[in-house]
Amino acid sequence: MRPCALETPFGTVGALRAGEAGAQRVLALHGWLDNAASFVPLSQHLRGIDLVAIDLPGHGASTHLPLTADYLLVAFARAAFAAADALGWERFALLGHSLGGVVASVMAAAQPRRIERLLAIEALGALAEKEERTTQRLRDAFDAHRKLAGKQLRVFPDVATAARARLQAGTGDLGEAAARLLVERGLREVEGGFVWRSDPRLTMPTAVRMSEAQSRDIVANIECPVRVIYADPSQSYFPDALRRERAALLRNGELIVLPGSHHLHMDDAVGTAAAIGDFFSA
């Protein structure tokens, strides 16, 4: 994939692009604390599309949001639409993994005239919060924001050490090769080594989450064709019963379950590409 940069009202949006000019336009959105390199393995097995994988704000090579703005789903969705605008894309398809799949769900529901198709991997709708947890979530988020000013970024002596740290974090059972890809794009060089490029605020609790009813309303109002790919076993925060209930709400959707980890699109790019098949060109 070849690197490019898109200038938007949200600042510079870093991106990687592959495929055929004039083919089906597909905007790819990565997961939390990942970046556009998340789609490098998969891009090698997808044909007949113009694939642009962006770094969401605060990730990879993209500008961090100002301190006056929060990293909420609506902000990510608006930034992704701004990236499409910078590409000159009025209508396009979406490919989203994890957080990217959540953002893509919001985009498809919010602007149905612009989204032609949605392929969601390991996500559909938003992570929900019980209403009675609203105040505690706000308190946790505000406390974390105040404490952030005194924190120092960890400096890694080399890329390999950073990759090991990412693996030890245990986010989604990431494989070693996949971790290396993400880490290489996710670091910036400083005196004495490397630090994460991502905005430290991304690690803080989200101040506001939707309820389950709100999330289901979003899924139920996605008008375009949707294909959802889930990994087996499921993640603890998105159990199999819940994810099947969400998929059943789709007006025009289909569900595929593959054996693998949360990052199956990286660790099993061939199998995931086979599950995608001709979805984007159908």
Side-chain angles (χ1 to χ4, degrees):
M1 301 184 79
R2 49 194 189 277
C4 58
L6 306 171
E7 297 307 320
T8 79
F10 288 81
T12 300
V13 172
L16 295 173
R17 192 169 193 170
E20 308 168 19
Q24 170 65 56
R25 300 162 170 176
V26 180
L27 190 71
L29 310 176
H30 61 78
W32 176 65
L33 293 182
D34 290 350
N35 52 60
S38 175
F39 296 99
V40 169
L42 191 58
S43 70
Q44 300 170 31
H45 306 284
L46 298 178
R47 299 290 181 267
I49 63 173
D50 182 4
L51 178 66
V52 177
I54 66 170
D55 296 318
L56 291 169
H59 297 78
S62 288
T63 302
H64 296 184
L65 291 181
L67 292 177
T68 52
D70 289 328
Y71 288 101
L72 300 176
L73 291 180
V74 170
F76 285 133
R78 289 181 58 230
F81 275 124
D85 292 340
L87 288 164
W89 292 2
E90 177 60 23
R91 285 177 56 78
F92 53 95
L94 288 167
L95 168 60
H97 168 251
S98 195
L99 170 63
V102 175
V103 175
S105 301
V106 171
M107 293 172 70
Q111 292 277 270
R113 64 179 181 82
R114 297 196 65 179
I115 307 304
E116 296 173 329
R117 289 177 169 269
L118 166 59
L119 193 294
I121 302 173
E122 282 284 272
L124 184 64
L127 282 179
E129 183 84 295
K130 293 182 179 179
E131 290 90 340
E132 56 268 29
R133 281 272 308 158
T134 300
T135 300
Q136 188 58 54
R137 174 162 288 281
L138 284 170
R139 290 174 180 174
D140 292 344
F142 275 68
D143 286 346
H145 196 278
R146 291 192 66 188
K147 295 174 183 176
L148 187 66
K151 291 187 176 181
Q152 298 292 322
L153 292 176
R154 178 182 176 184
V155 178
F156 299 97
D158 49 49
V159 175
T161 303
R164 286 195 296 272
R166 176 62 196 260
L167 286 169
Q168 290 167 2
T171 51
D173 299 322
L174 192 62
E176 187 172 347
R180 181 82 186 201
L181 267 177
L182 295 173
V183 166
E184 286 175 349
R185 186 171 178 83
L187 292 175
R188 63 181 174 89
E189 193 167 3
V190 297
E191 184 177 352
F194 301 87
V195 296
W196 300 122
R197 290 167 106 180
S198 55
D199 192 331
R201 289 185 293 152
L202 291 167
T203 63
M204 298 192 310
T206 303
V208 178
R209 277 190 178 173
M210 295 183 185
S211 67
E212 180 61 28
Q214 288 175 310
S215 187
R216 288 174 184 247
D217 184 70
I218 285 174
V219 174
N221 283 285
I222 296 174
E223 298 178 7
C224 68
V226 181
R227 181 172 293 175
V228 186
I229 300 176
Y230 292 143
D232 181 29
S234 61
Q235 301 297 308
S236 59
Y237 57 81
F238 198 25
D240 190 59
L242 175 59
R243 63 187 191 176
R244 289 182 182 275
E245 289 171 9
R246 293 265 188 96
L249 295 170
L250 290 166
R251 300 183 183 186
N252 184 5
E254 56 183 317
L255 169 63
I256 297 174
V257 179
L258 299 177
S261 68
H262 183 59
H263 284 80
L264 78 166
H265 68 305
M266 299 188 76
D267 292 329
D268 183 16
V270 173
T272 304
I276 294 172
D278 65 349
F279 177 75
F280 290 118
S281 58

